[in-house]
Amino acid sequence: SCLSAVFSESPFEEGYDLSIGTSERGSSVDSVTLPNFSHALVVFGGLQGLEASVDSDQELKITDPSVLFDLYLNTCPGQGSRTIRTEEALFISLSALRPRIEAATRTLSGN
């Protein structure tokens, strides 16, 4: 329904302990180490990005989407095109995040 509902309607009692927004305006995923977490949320914007989602959400009183997230990452640094379709962004982003997620959860579980 709206971006703010993603955070307020978490299925986890404690909510998400790590939230990641994806944007070409974010910091490079190549230079980030994820903290330990139990429940992570990765948010993708549509063609107009998370900025448009923030602008259309009447519950949010901000204009900069990066302040909503623990990490605001560019998961496709050096991309050659202006936009990436969301279905492509999912595969690209999860591939980039996977080794970082494994490292963070491995640390958490002690393995």
Side-chain angles (χ1 to χ4, degrees), residues 15-96:
Y16 298 102
D17 52 351
L18 176 63
S19 62
I20 301 171
T22 63
S23 172
E24 65 183 11
R25 293 170 188 83
S27 303
S28 174
V29 69
D30 295 336
S31 61
V32 71
T33 300
L34 299 183
N36 295 342
F37 65 90
S38 295
H39 305 292
L41 171 71
V42 181
V43 180
F44 299 85
L47 283 176
Q48 297 173 4
L50 288 171
E51 293 78 12
S53 299
V54 166
D55 290 344
S56 66
D57 190 330
Q58 301 298 315
E59 299 295 318
L60 296 174
K61 307 298 182 218
I62 61 164
T63 56
D64 178 6
S66 69
V67 302
L68 291 173
F69 303 97
D70 299 312
L71 298 169
Y72 197 60
L73 300 177
N74 181 348
T75 55
C76 190
Q79 73 188 51
S81 63
R82 168 67 180 100
T83 59
I84 298 175
R85 295 184 349 225
T86 303
E87 57 270 25
E88 296 169 331
L90 284 167
F91 288 118
I92 293 167
S93 299
L94 294 176
S95 294

Side-chain angles (χ1 to χ4, degrees), residues 3-19:
L3 183 59
S4 57
V6 170
F7 296 97
S8 63
E9 297 174 9
S10 169
F12 306 107
E13 187 174 316
E14 311 83 29
Y16 298 102
D17 52 351
L18 176 63
S19 62

